[in-house]
Amino acid sequence: MKKRISLLLALVLLLGVFAAPTLMFAEEEPKSLKDVPDWDGTEAEFHIGLVTGTVSQSEDDLRGAEELIRRYGDSKEGGMITHLTYPDNFMSEQETTISQIVGLADDPLMKVIVINQSVPGTAAAFNQIREFRDDILLLAGESHEDPTVITPAADYCVSVDKVGQGYLMPYAAKELGATTFVHVSFPRHLSQEIMAQRHAILAAACEELEIEFSDETAPDPMSDIGIPGAQQFILEHMNAWVDKYGKDTAFFCTNDAETEPMLKKVAELGAFFIEADLPSPLMGYPGAFGIELKDVAGDWPAILQKVEESVVEAGGGEHMGTWAYSFGFTCTAGLGEFGKRVVEGQYEKDPETETFKPEDILACFEEYTPGCKWTGGYFMNTTGDKPEPWKNFYLVSQDLYVFGKGFLGLDQVEVPQKYRELAYEVKTQEELEAEAEAEGN
């Protein structure tokens, strides 16, 4: 009898293993980026140009360039990658940015140019390049310029799904227990079409989800006050804002540099922070909480774990979130990888859309985010009588990871189409500045 029971138990266990392969063996163990070998010194047949911000403005973007250099080598040493950084004060130094980008095309081996973030001047630079080089693939990551400006100039554009963020951030805030959502920005950002669209969706979604929505104005780090002054402003005003709106408030700011002081104060004051404008465990968290990450550089699961430990210890558990992998890092590395594969003949344009396939872009993003799946959708052109997608402008997204809680499952939440097609007004920077001045901000 005992022998029969043992045989039956063994059979049940064996059947269990084969009956649930999707849970146990559907995919191989996700590899770390460190498992990908360094460049072996092979002379590159073509070059890829990368232009990113500096460490102080957008560190993650720059780290993505470093990952590509590690894999494919620096062009100065015979490798594939040429990396430049645009000025921190790119708004007042557009001519420098334009000349840097155009200068890359003087290299006869240059076949791909990636700009991340695509700050003002990118489209002008691309248009100049087109005048004398039609053999270079031009890719724009996280464009600051309106779609009507950047889409005719670039071969392909990729940005965070800010449209989806407009709905999903209030949705997540409500799930976590927030009753108010405060949007912190400044006129230069709000004059950008995609930011204006997200702002309009945030207001509409908050109303539908029964969350109070409010705006606060912060200084532009590109103004005379600079990055330190803008960060100090956030530090000095967060206490007053929490007193004004209450602890059950989710705060969001559109600027990377201002994210760090906001995170610090959110944890200290017990408020909520859903995700950054360009979500990443490196976006503001290490600086805000003094997290040393040199020993886990390039290991995103380990980075997430170390950040989580510090955030929870600081009081931000179940109140603060991020994407498990950095968008800025992935956008630089992923677009560079995509360009490489196009030049090598792995990817071609879809004859129906006359542009590249989104699934090829997502495959390159997943190459640099082991174990992570990306979702996305086309950016909708809502300026005409009927909303139509920009076929070479794709928006991407990940699930939200809440420190001390885990993934929230936002990748399973569908953004209602009415928000993607929502009509909105885009005001000029001058109009917005006048309004802010009239309100005393």
Side-chain angles (χ1 to χ4, degrees), residues 182 184 234-235 238-239 241-242 246-253 258-275 285 288-289 311 314-321:
V182 174
V184 181
I234 298 295
L235 285 172
M238 278 297 296
N239 288 67
W241 288 342
V242 172
K247 289 186 177 182
D248 293 337
T249 299
F251 288 91
F252 170 76
C253 67
E258 293 175 348
T259 296
E260 181 179 310
M262 179 172 283
L263 291 171
K264 182 179 181 68
K265 298 301 289 188
V266 163
E268 176 186 318
L269 300 170
F272 290 88
F273 181 92
I274 305 306
E275 65 187 26
Y285 282 108
F289 302 109
V311 170
E318 300 189 16
H319 278 230
M320 307 177 77

Side-chain angles (χ1 to χ4, degrees), residues 120-138:
T122 298
F126 281 0
N127 288 330
Q128 287 187 33
I129 290 171
R130 282 283 180 256
E131 293 177 1
F132 67 100
R133 291 288 298 270
D134 60 1
D135 62 328
I136 296 179
L137 185 68
L138 303 175

Side-chain angles (χ1 to χ4, degrees), residues 188-403:
R188 178 173 62 85
H189 271 185
L190 290 176
S191 66
Q192 296 174 21
E193 183 170 341
I194 194 168
M195 296 240 192
Q197 184 178 15
R198 178 178 60 191
H199 182 263
I201 295 170
L202 278 167
C206 282
E207 182 177 359
E208 180 176 320
L209 295 168
E210 299 181 339
I211 297 175
E212 293 293 325
F213 178 77
S214 291
D215 282 302
E216 292 290 348
T217 300
D220 187 342
M222 294 295 100
S223 66
D224 293 340
I225 196 171
I227 293 174
Q231 291 177 326
Q232 186 62 33
F233 177 92
I234 298 295
L235 285 172
E236 292 175 352
H237 283 73
M238 278 297 296
N239 288 67
W241 288 342
V242 172
D243 287 342
K244 179 179 178 180
Y245 297 107
K247 289 186 177 182
D248 293 337
T249 299
F251 288 91
F252 170 76
C253 67
T254 63
N255 180 258
D256 296 349
E258 293 175 348
T259 296
E260 181 179 310
M262 179 172 283
L263 291 171
K264 182 179 181 68
K265 298 301 289 188
V266 163
E268 176 186 318
L269 300 170
F272 290 88
F273 181 92
I274 305 306
E275 65 187 26
D277 180 69
L278 301 179
S280 163
L282 296 182
M283 182 57 72
Y285 282 108
F289 302 109
I291 308 169
E292 178 55 61
L293 296 170
K294 287 183 180 179
D295 60 327
V296 292
D299 187 343
W300 289 97
I303 290 171
L304 187 68
Q305 182 179 351
K306 288 197 72 170
V307 173
E308 181 167 33
E309 291 170 356
S310 296
V311 170
V312 171
E313 184 179 351
E318 300 189 16
H319 278 230
M320 307 177 77
T322 185
W323 288 2
Y325 284 90
S326 160
F327 169 78
F329 171 91
T330 310
C331 191
T332 301
L335 286 181
E337 182 71 29
F338 174 77
K340 174 178 178 290
R341 295 182 186 184
V342 170
V343 175
E344 292 175 342
Q346 295 185 53
Y347 297 149
E348 296 181 351
K349 289 185 176 181
D350 185 335
E352 291 186 9
T353 63
E354 297 182 346
T355 188
F356 295 102
K357 300 174 184 177
E359 54 264 37
D360 292 338
I361 294 283
L362 295 180
C364 292
F365 273 47
E366 290 169 5
E367 168 71 21
Y368 291 86
T369 56
C372 173
K373 294 295 182 183
W374 291 77
T375 59
Y378 288 112
F379 188 17
M380 299 297 292
N381 178 4
T382 61
T383 59
D385 296 332
K386 181 182 178 182
E388 297 287 346
W390 299 96
K391 288 298 187 180
N392 68 332
F393 201 141
Y394 203 67
L395 306 177
V396 298
S397 184
Q398 288 179 44
D399 189 9
L400 177 70
Y401 186 86
V402 180
F403 296 114

Side-chain angles (χ1 to χ4, degrees), residues 3-248:
K3 184 177 181 181
R4 183 180 300 175
I5 292 174
S6 297
L7 288 172
L8 182 60
L9 180 60
L11 180 61
V12 169
L13 291 172
L14 185 62
L15 287 172
V17 168
F18 286 103
T22 55
L23 297 177
M24 300 178 66
F25 305 114
E27 297 181 358
E28 295 180 1
E29 187 73 20
K31 64 184 180 182
S32 166
L33 294 180
K34 289 185 174 181
D35 294 336
V36 179
D38 292 352
W39 175 54
D40 61 6
T42 302
E43 189 81 15
E45 296 181 359
F46 60 89
H47 293 161
I48 296 174
L50 307 175
V51 184
T52 71
T54 64
V55 169
S56 62
Q57 267 287 21
S58 47
E59 179 177 352
D60 287 12
D61 306 351
L62 182 144
R63 301 305 179 199
E66 290 180 343
E67 173 64 16
L68 286 174
I69 291 171
R70 184 185 72 81
R71 291 192 184 199
Y72 303 124
D74 192 315
S75 63
K76 294 191 293 291
E77 300 172 358
M80 185 178 293
I81 307 302
T82 300
H83 177 226
L84 305 173
T85 58
Y86 51 72
D88 278 348
N89 199 353
F90 51 80
M91 287 304 295
S92 63
E93 299 184 49
Q94 284 192 40
E95 289 304 317
T96 300
T97 302
I98 292 171
S99 65
Q100 284 181 311
I101 298 171
V102 174
L104 289 169
D106 291 334
D107 177 0
L109 290 181
M110 190 63 62
K111 294 298 180 183
V112 182
I113 295 178
V114 176
I115 317 298
N116 184 41
Q117 301 166 37
S118 298
V119 296
T122 298
F126 281 0
N127 288 330
Q128 287 187 33
I129 290 171
R130 282 283 180 256
E131 293 177 1
F132 67 100
R133 291 288 298 270
D134 60 1
D135 62 328
I136 296 179
L137 185 68
L138 303 175
L139 304 175
E142 197 57 34
S143 177
H144 291 210
E145 299 177 305
D146 289 342
T148 53
V149 175
I150 193 64
T151 53
D155 288 296
Y156 213 87
C157 311
V158 177
S159 287
V160 162
D161 188 3
K162 290 183 169 65
V163 178
Q165 273 185 322
Y167 177 78
L168 293 173
M169 286 197 296
Y171 180 96
K174 186 171 184 177
E175 289 287 300
L176 295 176
T179 58
T180 304
F181 193 100
V182 174
H183 180 276
V184 181
S185 190
F186 40 81
R188 178 173 62 85
H189 271 185
L190 290 176
S191 66
Q192 296 174 21
E193 183 170 341
I194 194 168
M195 296 240 192
Q197 184 178 15
R198 178 178 60 191
H199 182 263
I201 295 170
L202 278 167
C206 282
E207 182 177 359
E208 180 176 320
L209 295 168
E210 299 181 339
I211 297 175
E212 293 293 325
F213 178 77
S214 291
D215 282 302
E216 292 290 348
T217 300
D220 187 342
M222 294 295 100
S223 66
D224 293 340
I225 196 171
I227 293 174
Q231 291 177 326
Q232 186 62 33
F233 177 92
I234 298 295
L235 285 172
E236 292 175 352
H237 283 73
M238 278 297 296
N239 288 67
W241 288 342
V242 172
D243 287 342
K244 179 179 178 180
Y245 297 107
K247 289 186 177 182
D248 293 337

